[in-house]
């Protein structure tokens, strides 16, 4: 049995997660909603994907640490060539809870301080986005680029997420600057699109449907999967200050993804 993670395993895991999450989309009474300490919702889908990941990783790759939004399995050593995984079981739980079909499941396999494989699954749209370092980005097995739909967009759109209570320096959109960000996007000739799920927006950037995405919070599990997907689709990924993204600590200074450097 191979000790190294592979795309076949990651793709299968993401697909299973998407199917699990979709089961309760049309039956909100079965979502089993609880509230975490930060007053964000936790559903049966979050718990189900957490358990799915833990069971599969313990069976196939017990030596690979997993850092998820809802749980941690193992512990990172910090070695330059260490493999580890970041997971956001349901990104956009608010949307999921409200049956708004713009949520996703995010997976990123890391090597050292950078993502080398990733998967973002859109359960309702039945779209599975995957990327591997140096091998391109794909939607349901078809190669995608950040410019795929550019010729059809008279006005480019930029997605952003504003989150109310993370108490982290990168939460700049909640400190009186939401208006400035919206005005700035308009002034650059683009349309601001606000959602409560960043993975979905990042996948749309990689797919060329959005020109860019802005995320003010510092959670690594919200960033890594889209980071690799966008770069492998030909786009640009930085933190909010325009600096390279790297994952040596426990927080990032937000992220900005764009289809090209000019944007």
């Amino acid at each position: 049995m191979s000790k190294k993670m592979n795309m076949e395993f990651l793709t299968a895991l993401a697909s299973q997660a998407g199917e699990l999450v979709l089961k309760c989309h049309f039956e909100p009474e079965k979502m089993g909603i609880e509230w975490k300490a930060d007053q964000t919702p936790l559903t049966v889908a979050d718990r189900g994907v957490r358990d799915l990941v833990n069971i599969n990783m313990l069976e196939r790759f017990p030596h690979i640490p997993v850092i998820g939004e809802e749980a941690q399995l193992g512990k990172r050593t910090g070695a330059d060539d260490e493999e580890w995984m970041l997971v956001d079981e349901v990104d956009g739980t608010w949307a999921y809870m409200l049956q708004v079909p713009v949520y996703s499941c995010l997976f990123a396999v890391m090597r050292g301080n950078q993502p080398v494989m990733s998967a973002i699954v859109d359960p309702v749209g039945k779209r599975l986005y995957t990327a591997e370092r140096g091998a391109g980005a794909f939607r349901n097995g078809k190669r995608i680029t950040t410019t795929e739909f550019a010729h059809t967009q008279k006005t480019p759109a930029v997605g952003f997420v504003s989150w109310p209570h993370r108490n982290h320096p990168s939460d700049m959109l909640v400190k009186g600057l939401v208006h400035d960000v919206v005005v700035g996007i308009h002034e650059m000739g683009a349309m601001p699109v606000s959602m409560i799920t960043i993975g979905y927006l990042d996948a749309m950037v990689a797919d060329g449907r959005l020109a860019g995405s802005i995320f003010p919070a510092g959670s690594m599990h919200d960033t890594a999967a889209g980071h690799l997907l966008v770069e492998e689709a030909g786009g640009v990924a930085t933190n909010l200050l325009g600096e390279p993204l790297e994952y040596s600590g426990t927080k990032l200074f937000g992220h900005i993804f764009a289809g090209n450097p000019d944007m």
Side-chain angles (χ1 to χ4, degrees), residues 8-173:
E8 182 181 6
F9 173 84
L10 186 63
T11 299
L13 185 64
S15 297
Q16 291 175 56
E19 292 171 3
L20 189 157
V21 171
L22 191 58
K23 284 182 179 179
C24 292
H25 175 82
F26 299 104
E27 299 180 277
E29 68 278 2
K30 294 183 179 181
M31 285 188 180
I33 298 167
E34 299 175 1
W35 295 93
K36 295 188 286 188
D38 64 357
Q39 297 304 304
T40 57
L42 179 72
T43 70
V44 67
D46 296 277
R47 299 188 291 272
V49 174
R50 175 199 63 200
D51 295 344
L52 173 74
V53 170
N54 287 351
I55 290 169
N56 278 272
M57 290 297 291
L58 284 171
E59 180 180 333
R60 289 287 304 278
F61 304 102
H63 61 288
I64 296 180
V66 179
I67 299 175
E69 181 174 13
E70 308 307 338
Q72 181 169 334
L73 187 67
K75 189 175 181 180
R76 291 171 61 187
T77 66
D80 291 342
D81 61 348
E82 179 185 24
E83 271 197 331
W84 51 291
M85 180 185 278
L86 284 165
V87 178
D88 192 343
E89 293 84 357
V90 181
D91 175 62
T93 309
W94 278 97
Y96 180 64
M97 181 181 70
L98 297 171
Q99 296 178 278
V100 179
V102 288
Y103 47 84
S104 54
C105 307
L106 313 182
F107 301 85
V109 177
M110 313 296 289
R111 186 165 297 130
N113 295 331
Q114 289 297 317
V116 293
M117 287 181 274
S118 74
I120 297 179
V121 60
D122 162 18
V124 178
K126 299 188 183 305
R127 292 179 288 198
L128 175 61
Y129 294 91
T130 57
E132 187 170 7
R133 180 70 67 186
F138 300 84
R139 175 191 3 98
N140 294 341
K142 178 186 176 182
R143 188 75 178 256
I144 58 173
T145 70
T146 58
T147 59
E148 184 167 350
F149 295 93
H151 65 283
T152 67
Q153 297 181 8
K154 292 183 178 179
T155 302
V158 175
F160 70 93
V161 174
S162 176
W163 199 253
H165 50 275
R166 290 301 191 200
N167 194 30
H168 187 264
S170 66
D171 294 346
M172 61 185 299
L173 294 193

Side-chain angles (χ1 to χ4, degrees), residues 231-254:
E231 286 192 336
E232 286 298 317
V236 181
T238 73
N239 68 15
L240 292 176
L241 302 177
E243 301 166 339
L245 289 161
E246 66 94 33
Y247 301 79
S248 59
T250 59
K251 286 285 186 179
L252 303 171
F253 201 81

